[in-house]
Amino acid sequence: MGSGFCSHPRGFWLTGAAMSRRGHLAWFLAGLLLVPCGQSTDSFEVRVEGNSSEVGYGGTVLLNCSSSCPEAGAPRGLETSLSKERVSQGPGWVSVRLRNITEPLSDVLCYFYCFGERKVAAFRVLAYEFPQPQLTISSPNTSSNETVAIKCSSAPSWPPGLKLQLHRSHWHPQAWEEGPISLALVAREEDDGAEFSCQAQLSLGNRTLTKSSPTATLRVTYQPRMDDGSCPPSQNWTEGQDETLRCWAWGNPRPHLECVKDREPFPAGVPRPVTRAHAGTYLCRATNPLGTTVRSVTVWVQYHDPDLLLPVLVGVVVVAALVAGGVGYCIYYRKKKIREYRLRQRQRRLQMEPPRPTRCSEETAALNGSAPEAQV
């Protein structure tokens, strides 16, 4: 097998007489005729290629079976248990489509006969089943402090090994887990608007397939809220400038805010020129279907009155003069007392000292022959 030989032409068989006369010539001619008329098949190859070796359950794969065999019209084909249809063919190749693939693993054999020799190439098809992950939220619209059950699940996969991940916006990625994932969430105000999805991944050899459920948004309703940041209880305005009553509220549903002063509406967040009449207490009320929140705001208005400026300045000058006069008088009075005190001290010292004799009294005593008596 591997090469063929041409047969002898009809009528070539020789009679005994001819053989005796032409024996050597006949054998020579037979040797010329017994030359190989086939070609060597050692170099021919068979290949099979497909657009994918992994296909979803019930999917389709297009295969191309080809050969380097030089024989024209060499027999070829594909052997498989799957449904197939021939798409096209040409010299040395044939294209086949496999349909509705439901077997988990299938080996498709592409074969060629080249001058009687058969060669086969195999192509393995994996039909995987990757179900869509499902996300369920018990109460997509809930109230604050209510418990919400969230579940991420999926039907079994083929091959086994499907993993799930519960994803939430503004969360750090969670670990992948096998089997359903359940979460009991106590709804809070900050959970309003949180987005959840169920992620799934399936490993197929060196490939990893991923799927995701549609995103679901959690809505949390709660009463209106106001605090010192959103509605400061004390605000300072300046007369003549444009000022705004700073007050706003949040809640779900969005609350309606109304502020009044002396029972008259005064919209918050609207700039307006300030007068002294704006000073006072404002009452702001935020309301939604779940409740009402009230907050009091005191507004102080700073102003400068030109008619009072001159009297104030005169008063300041008078006070300053009185203070300066008082300080000067205190200094004068203190100096006067110090001088009087020093004068009294000096007079007292003079009274306690003995009188000193004068020169005239000494001469008179000498004439009288006696000295003046010392005072004790």
Side-chain angles (χ1 to χ4, degrees):
M1 191 172 185
S3 62
F5 295 89
C6 296
S7 60
H8 298 289
R10 293 182 180 181
F12 180 76
W13 302 104
L14 302 177
T15 64
M19 186 67 180
S20 62
R21 295 190 299 266
R22 302 175 182 176
H24 295 288
L25 179 60
W27 285 111
F28 174 75
L29 292 175
L32 291 177
L33 293 174
L34 293 175
V35 295
C37 61
Q39 297 188 22
S40 174
T41 60
D42 293 340
S43 61
F44 103 90
E45 297 180 352
V46 176
R47 294 195 312 169
V48 59
E49 298 174 334
N51 60 343
S52 177
S53 61
E54 298 158 351
V55 62
Y57 186 84
T60 300
V61 171
L62 183 65
L63 296 181
N64 184 61
C65 180
S66 61
S67 171
S68 60
C69 176
E71 181 183 357
R76 86 289 302 268
L78 269 82
E79 295 179 353
T80 178
S81 60
L82 303 174
S83 300
K84 64 180 180 180
E85 62 177 353
R86 180 169 296 186
V87 177
S88 59
Q89 64 180 353
W93 64 273
V94 60
S95 179
V96 176
R97 179 182 291 112
L98 306 178
R99 300 177 301 172
N100 193 26
I101 303 175
T102 58
E103 297 182 19
L105 283 175
S106 302
D107 287 328
V108 181
L109 302 181
C110 167
Y111 66 87
F112 267 81
Y113 284 95
C114 186
F115 297 105
E117 180 179 356
R118 185 176 188 263
K119 282 191 176 182
V120 178
F123 187 88
R124 174 162 290 184
V125 178
L126 170 65
Y128 63 86
E129 189 169 3
F130 189 7
Q132 180 73 19
Q134 302 294 325
L135 175 72
T136 56
I137 300 179
S138 61
S139 301
N141 298 294
T142 187
S143 299
S144 180
N145 298 322
E146 295 291 333
T147 300
V148 179
I150 303 174
K151 186 177 181 180
C152 173
S153 61
S154 174
S157 66
W158 177 261
L162 182 143
K163 294 183 178 181
L164 299 173
Q165 182 188 69
L166 180 61
H167 182 268
R168 173 186 167 161
S169 56
H170 310 300
W171 263 7
H172 293 294
Q174 305 295 307
W176 291 93
E177 303 180 23
E178 294 185 0
I181 301 174
S182 299
L183 173 67
L185 176 68
V186 179
R188 299 172 297 177
E189 297 177 12
E190 53 267 30
D191 294 323
D192 181 44
E195 295 181 340
F196 293 87
S197 64
C198 182
Q199 312 282 339
Q201 70 174 13
L202 180 64
S203 297
L204 300 174
N206 58 356
R207 294 176 58 197
T208 299
L209 306 180
T210 60
K211 284 187 177 182
S212 176
S213 69
T215 300
T217 303
L218 179 65
R219 295 299 179 187
V220 181
T221 58
Y222 51 92
Q223 294 183 358
R225 298 284 188 268
M226 288 187 289
D227 57 19
D228 289 350
S230 66
C231 197
S234 181
Q235 302 181 26
N236 295 319
W237 295 357
T238 302
E239 184 181 27
Q241 295 185 358
D242 287 345
E243 300 285 359
T244 300
L245 182 63
R246 302 190 307 276
C247 191
W248 63 275
W250 70 95
N252 190 24
R254 184 176 180 179
H256 171 71
L257 178 65
E258 182 181 21
C259 296
V260 298
K261 179 181 182 294
D262 300 329
R263 298 184 180 181
E264 293 294 330
F266 193 95
V270 179
R272 64 186 64 207
V274 175
T275 65
R276 300 180 197 180
H278 289 136
T281 301
Y282 294 76
L283 198 63
C284 293
R285 184 187 305 270
T287 304
N288 73 2
L290 301 179
T292 300
T293 299
V294 179
R295 194 168 180 85
S296 178
V297 179
T298 301
V299 172
W300 305 87
V301 177
Q302 300 176 357
Y303 59 88
H304 302 288
D305 194 340
D307 296 335
L308 297 178
L309 183 59
L310 183 58
V312 170
L313 292 177
V314 172
V316 171
V317 172
V318 171
V319 171
L322 292 176
V323 171
V327 172
Y329 177 77
C330 289
I331 294 173
Y332 167 77
Y333 182 78
R334 181 176 179 81
K335 289 183 177 181
K336 178 181 178 182
K337 290 297 183 180
I338 292 174
R339 286 196 299 268
E340 291 178 353
Y341 174 76
R342 290 178 178 176
L343 181 58
R344 288 196 300 269
Q345 291 293 331
R346 183 177 181 184
Q347 290 176 353
R348 187 175 300 172
R349 285 196 302 269
L350 292 177
Q351 290 176 1
M352 295 180 66
E353 291 180 0
R356 296 180 181 179
T358 62
R359 186 173 184 180
C360 181
S361 61
E362 291 178 357
E363 292 177 355
T364 304
L367 292 175
N368 295 332
S370 61
E373 296 180 357
Q375 295 181 359
V376 180

